Amino acid sequence: MSQKNETLSLFLAAVITIGLIFSGLWFFMERWAQLNGTAAKSSGTNNTDNPINQFISSKCNVPNLLEGTFNYGGSTTWAPIRKDVDSVLESQCPRFILRYTQPPSGNAGSGTGIRMLIDNQLAFSQSSRSVKAEENAEAQQKGFSLKEIPVAIDGIAIAVNHDLNIPGLTVAQLKDIYTGKITNWQQVGGPNLPIKAYSRSEEAGGTVEFFVENVLNKEKFGANINYVGTTTEAVRKVAANPGGIYYASAPEVVPQCIIKTIPLGRTSSQLVPPYQEPFVSPSQCPSKRNQLNSQAFRSGDYAITRNLFVIIKQNGQTDQQAGEAYANWLLTPQSQDLIEKAGFVRIK
């Protein structure tokens, strides 16, 4: 080959090589721009066609999920789910943003959450009780109805001082304690010791409302009741008072080290513990903690169980779609596993 032809060949090879390099760089930069959404903006492409949206959608795996920020709120019982379950949804579906919203006045709870939903302050709500007839009637006056979707099972556990020697209580005995008819532990097979009963106020949320409705049969609390602001406060008071008693969502009190929960039954011959046997003693806690008796909660053998609900506004708008997508996601096998790890009982 002549020197002239060899020089030409080297020149052409260099041009081709440089062209391939720049083509590769152009492709890489264009792809990077697409993944960051800039290509869609410059070309006017619909946002749902953006490759990053397709990636999020495939990772998200929640049908009919909207993009946007959605206010939700309600039950304090749901706090472990908001912390350990909802956070997973937010990481998998970062464009479906959940914002927990406190009530403008009063304490957060199932009732205030439903009130805020009716007042269009929330897209959907979390509740530890069913919707009341009067709440649904008020919603219908505003042009929509409320739908409740059960997503988990919870139980009401009874906490007492660790030193109290008592086999358990029936639901009827528990009612009589909280309506003031029984005032000494000796009346229910315990020691001669005054009962110090604690409760949050009726305005505190769904757990108290559920207790009044289903345990007290809508009777009023007795004059003997000592009101507390939080379950944390109540647990400390029960731990310090030999005659103390308190009721709460089972995941809040069953694993506690400084108090104990007791068996509960419809009759004295059918007492069922809210914890898995054998009972874990205080000396083993916190390295080992009592676990929920999930089987008894799911079967209904435990006397006081309830569902946890997502409350949805049926108005044919984005709020309804957001609430339904959220509830459907909580019912997936992955989410039910997470709900169980958060301390509640899976519903399916």
Side-chain angles (χ1 to χ4, degrees), residues 109-150:
S110 298
T112 53
I114 293 171
R115 160 54 49 200
M116 293 170 71
L117 190 63
I118 294 172
D119 290 342
N120 292 312
Q121 296 170 330
L122 302 178
F124 57 89
S125 185
Q126 300 167 322
S127 182
S128 58
R129 64 162 173 84
S130 292
V131 174
K132 297 178 180 178
E134 56 268 29
E135 291 169 334
N136 207 22
E138 188 174 350
Q140 289 173 346
Q141 289 177 355
K142 295 192 175 184
F144 57 88
S145 61
L146 299 176
K147 178 182 179 181
E148 55 188 40
I149 300 179

Side-chain angles (χ1 to χ4, degrees), residues 267-281:
T267 66
S268 57
S269 61
Q270 297 177 322
L271 299 178
V272 178
Y275 51 83
Q276 294 178 24
E277 295 184 292
F279 177 76
V280 177
S281 67

Side-chain angles (χ1 to χ4, degrees), residues 206-276:
T207 299
V208 184
E209 291 179 276
F210 178 89
F211 190 83
V212 171
E213 182 93 10
N214 295 275
V215 177
L216 305 190
N217 294 325
K218 300 183 180 180
E219 289 188 29
K220 293 185 179 298
F221 282 116
N224 59 317
I225 303 303
N226 301 271
Y227 292 99
V228 293
T230 66
T231 290
T232 300
E233 180 186 354
V235 167
R236 289 173 180 164
K237 287 184 178 295
V238 169
N241 193 308
I245 182 173
Y246 179 69
Y247 64 92
S249 171
E252 293 183 290
V253 289
V254 167
Q256 294 279 354
C257 295
I258 62 173
I259 49 87
K260 68 179 180 182
T261 53
I262 59 174
L264 189 68
R266 296 175 181 87
T267 66
S268 57
S269 61
Q270 297 177 322
L271 299 178
V272 178
Y275 51 83
Q276 294 178 24

